[in-house]
Amino acid sequence: MKSFYLKPKFFSTIKKYSAQQFTKDLVAGVIVAIIALPLSIALALASGVEPACGVYTAIAAGFVVSFLGGSRVQIAGPTAAFASIVAGIVATQGMDGLVLATIMAGIMLILMGVFKLGSLIKFIPNTITVGFTAGIAVTILIGQIKDFLGLTYAEGIKPVETIEKIEANIGAMSTFSWQALLVGVVCLAILIIYPKFEKRVPPSLIAVVVGALMVKFIPGLDEGVFTIGELYTIPTGLPSLNIGSVDFSFQKISALLPDAFTIAILAAIESLLSCVVADSMVNSKHNSNAELVAQGAGNIASVLFGGIPATGAIARTAANAKNGGRTPAAGMVHAVVLVLVLLFLMPYAELIPMPTIAAILFMVAYNMSEWKKFVHIVKTAPKSDTIVMVLTFGLTVIFDLVVAIEVGMILAALLFIKRMSEEAGVKGWKYVEDENDKDSIDLKTVPEHVRVYELSGPLFFGVADKILEINFKDYTKCLILRMRAVPSVDATALSSLEQLYKKCKEKDITLVFSHVNQQPLNAMKKSGLFDKVGRNHFCNHIDDALKVASKIK
């Protein structure tokens, strides 16, 4: 019996689960939780929400995605990719708007998995992915300059867009704090240098501890440095389920639909990319459709319990795999450890300086930017691909990810159509001069009253007009269309073929087809063109077509 296509990996791995593997998963889960804690807080603040929201996200989404997901080692939680999107939604629609948009996105992800659309993610060009990822990295970096330099905005100034933040930072430069810069530089140095000598303890955890100790014990340093506790309220205990104030009206749903779509697409892209990376590390194969369903359920669970949108986190997933995690139990352990932290240790998060958070996010932005790949594409890729990537990058920074993905996909699709139209061709045999082709015109005897045209490439709306450019001589009595290199036709190209048939009929020219592949043949039968032309005028080989043509006078 064929296994259920949405079966979670947890149920596949639990059959042969051992105490030895549980020990490895337990260690990996604890390590990942230690890594996730400061990152979750930092990413929540970058998203414009309370610091605890990041931890709520890592707990709810982390547990659900591990339990229902299609990967052995995927770790889900808040990621930098969502920071600018979430911040924009919260600023314009509030937390209730974010909850609604994320629930809608979760439903979309579940439907994508149910209808087996996991493989369609590969149709999003790499140039778009690299472009908006680099753009998000820049927006995160610019958004953290304020806290890194200890700037204070004037009352009423709450910038949302990246350009607005740049203007606000320039306007607030007179409030610069050297104390904040000192703490930020020391923490950034730790994040850069520490991993070169020691990799067992997460550098972000060391930076958090050092930053807090500096502010606490170095005289005068606390005067120019804000801590999380001074700007935010750190709750204790578990979050409660609360959606009573969310507006589910048609008007609100319509307004948030673009944001929901962006969250869904981004969650799908990032989580499946993370799964691919994880597969290579643990010699496994993920179930993309089960993963999409899990991501949908995880996002819904996250916002219902006070969190924000989540997806597979590549860095945390890699840390899980490197530290021995081999089953979804490690991800579930990571969530349970964070619950214990939330219950007993969250008050200590109040001591974390904001410049430390900014330094951590600087490193997150640098690591996700993939600037080397960006530069490599600029240097080596075709100009059209480079234009798509740079435009997506610019639109992400200047506007937002919704606009960037929409414009990027449209432009990529148009460029693809242009390339395909250049590949497709309708040429008379007089242009064929391939001596290595045994079916070449040079080796065939073509009667004077016969015209032969070679059609190549997919025939679609972008090249349909070329079919109508086929011409005849006054003495032409038969036209052969050789279609061995045509894999498919669309409705527009089919319409052009029908117009060509009518043109031939008006001039008393017999139309003959040679080597028509299955999809074009089925399309011609369905449209009725096959019956009009006649079964006898569809030949399997050019030799057969020439024999038929030679008998026509």
Side-chain angles (χ1 to χ4, degrees):
M1 183 178 177
K2 191 175 181 180
S3 61
F4 181 46
Y5 72 97
L6 296 178
K7 183 178 181 180
K9 282 289 183 181
F10 175 77
F11 296 103
S12 300
T13 58
I14 202 69
K15 295 178 181 178
K16 298 180 180 180
Y17 202 61
S18 63
Q20 183 181 11
Q21 184 56 56
F22 174 73
T23 302
K24 293 180 179 179
D25 288 338
L26 179 64
V27 171
V30 171
I31 292 173
V32 172
I34 293 172
I35 296 171
L37 179 62
L39 281 176
S40 298
I41 293 173
L43 291 169
L45 295 176
S47 302
V49 297
E50 296 291 326
C53 293
V55 184
Y56 298 158
T57 306
I59 293 171
F63 189 91
V64 172
V65 170
S66 292
F67 182 65
L68 297 178
S71 170
R72 283 175 169 265
V73 294
Q74 177 86 288
I75 300 294
T79 63
F82 282 123
S84 59
I85 300 173
V86 173
I89 297 174
V90 171
T92 57
Q93 305 289 341
M95 281 299 294
D96 290 344
L98 178 65
V99 171
L100 179 57
T102 309
I103 290 175
M104 292 162 60
I107 294 172
M108 291 178 190
L109 285 165
I110 292 172
L111 293 176
M112 288 168 66
V114 169
F115 290 106
K116 301 181 179 180
L117 300 181
S119 61
L120 295 182
I121 300 301
K122 65 184 179 183
F123 292 109
I124 296 180
N126 183 53
T127 48
I128 291 180
T129 304
V130 173
F132 73 63
T133 301
I136 291 169
V138 171
T139 61
I140 291 173
L141 187 147
I142 292 173
Q144 296 308 307
I145 290 175
K146 170 182 177 290
D147 291 327
F148 194 78
L149 299 180
L151 306 180
T152 303
Y153 292 157
E155 188 176 350
I157 296 180
K158 296 181 179 180
V160 176
E161 304 295 340
T162 303
I163 302 302
E164 294 175 348
K165 290 178 181 178
I166 294 174
E167 294 174 348
N169 288 339
I170 294 174
M173 200 57 69
S174 60
T175 63
F176 162 74
S177 167
W178 66 266
Q179 296 98 325
L181 179 62
L182 176 62
V183 173
V185 168
V186 170
C187 292
L188 188 59
I190 291 171
L191 294 169
I192 295 172
I193 299 172
Y194 179 81
K196 298 181 185 297
F197 302 98
E198 173 63 58
K199 296 183 178 180
R200 287 174 295 181
V201 181
S204 57
L205 186 63
I206 300 298
V208 163
V209 173
V210 171
L213 291 176
M214 286 178 67
V215 174
K216 186 73 174 177
F217 295 107
I218 297 180
L221 206 59
D222 60 335
E223 295 179 3
V225 180
F226 288 111
T227 63
I228 289 179
E230 292 174 326
L231 300 179
Y232 302 94
T233 301
I234 304 293
T236 56
L238 297 175
S240 58
L241 178 65
N242 182 20
I243 58 170
S245 59
V246 179
D247 180 6
F248 288 95
S249 67
F250 178 79
Q251 183 179 2
K252 197 71 172 179
I253 290 174
S254 300
L256 289 169
L257 194 58
D259 292 316
F261 180 76
T262 303
I263 292 172
I265 293 298
L266 190 56
I269 294 172
E270 192 166 4
S271 62
L272 295 183
L273 283 176
S274 179
C275 284
V276 171
V277 173
D279 286 348
S280 63
M281 297 182 70
V282 298
N283 193 26
S284 180
K285 183 174 177 59
H286 73 279
N287 181 332
S288 59
N289 294 310
E291 185 64 28
L292 289 178
V293 170
Q295 291 291 335
N299 271 278
I300 293 173
S302 175
V303 294
L304 290 183
F305 287 98
I308 57 178
T311 185
I314 295 177
R316 277 159 272 173
T317 298
N320 181 29
K322 288 178 181 178
N323 286 283
R326 288 297 180 273
T327 77
M332 296 160 72
V333 167
H334 135 268
V336 172
V337 171
L338 287 175
V339 169
L340 297 176
V341 170
L342 188 65
L343 291 174
F344 303 109
L345 300 177
M346 275 304 281
Y348 292 103
E350 294 181 353
L351 303 176
I352 301 175
M354 294 303 295
T356 301
I357 296 295
I360 292 173
L361 288 170
F362 278 173
M363 290 303 299
V364 169
Y366 175 82
N367 291 329
M368 76 173 294
S369 68
E370 296 187 306
W371 66 270
K372 292 182 180 179
K373 183 184 291 187
F374 191 99
V375 172
H376 178 73
I377 291 175
V378 171
K379 290 181 177 180
T380 62
K383 288 184 179 179
S384 57
D385 289 330
T386 302
I387 290 171
V388 170
M389 182 183 69
V390 173
L391 183 62
T392 303
F393 167 79
L395 291 174
T396 302
V397 174
I398 297 173
F399 296 101
D400 57 45
L401 199 57
V402 178
V403 175
I405 290 180
E406 289 174 350
V407 174
M409 284 298 294
I410 292 172
L411 183 59
L414 291 175
L415 289 172
F416 174 77
I417 292 171
K418 181 178 181 295
R419 286 174 183 167
M420 288 298 99
S421 65
E422 291 171 350
E423 290 297 319
V426 179
K427 297 181 179 179
W429 256 14
K430 64 182 180 180
Y431 298 107
V432 179
E433 299 176 356
D434 186 359
E435 296 179 358
N436 297 319
D437 185 355
K438 65 181 180 179
D439 293 329
S440 172
I441 182 63
D442 297 332
L443 305 178
K444 304 295 179 183
T445 300
V446 181
E448 186 179 6
H449 67 281
V450 178
R451 293 277 286 173
V452 180
Y453 274 83
E454 183 99 21
L455 279 61
S456 61
L459 298 182
F460 65 108
F461 59 88
V463 297
D465 59 321
K466 293 184 179 181
I467 297 172
L468 299 178
E469 293 175 1
I470 293 176
N471 54 58
F472 322 107
K473 302 293 185 180
D474 293 338
Y475 48 80
T476 301
K477 294 298 180 182
C478 180
L479 172 66
I480 297 177
L481 297 183
R482 195 180 192 194
M483 298 179 63
R484 60 175 179 165
V486 177
S488 62
V489 300
D490 72 353
T492 307
L494 198 58
S495 175
S496 294
L497 287 173
E498 290 176 345
Q499 291 181 55
L500 179 63
Y501 167 76
K502 292 178 181 178
K503 184 178 177 181
C504 289
K505 191 172 182 180
E506 290 173 358
K507 295 180 178 293
D508 197 24
I509 296 173
T510 302
L511 184 60
V512 176
F513 288 92
S514 170
H515 196 152
V516 180
N517 291 307
Q518 194 61 49
Q519 192 277 341
L521 185 62
N522 291 338
M524 291 180 190
K525 288 180 178 179
K526 190 174 181 179
S527 70
L529 180 61
F530 181 86
D531 294 330
K532 292 177 182 177
V533 173
R535 182 181 298 273
N536 295 334
H537 291 158
F538 279 83
C539 305
N540 294 327
H541 194 272
I542 187 62
D543 290 340
D544 300 327
L546 288 171
K547 287 179 182 178
V548 171
S550 65
K551 297 177 182 179
I552 299 171
K553 300 296 183 179

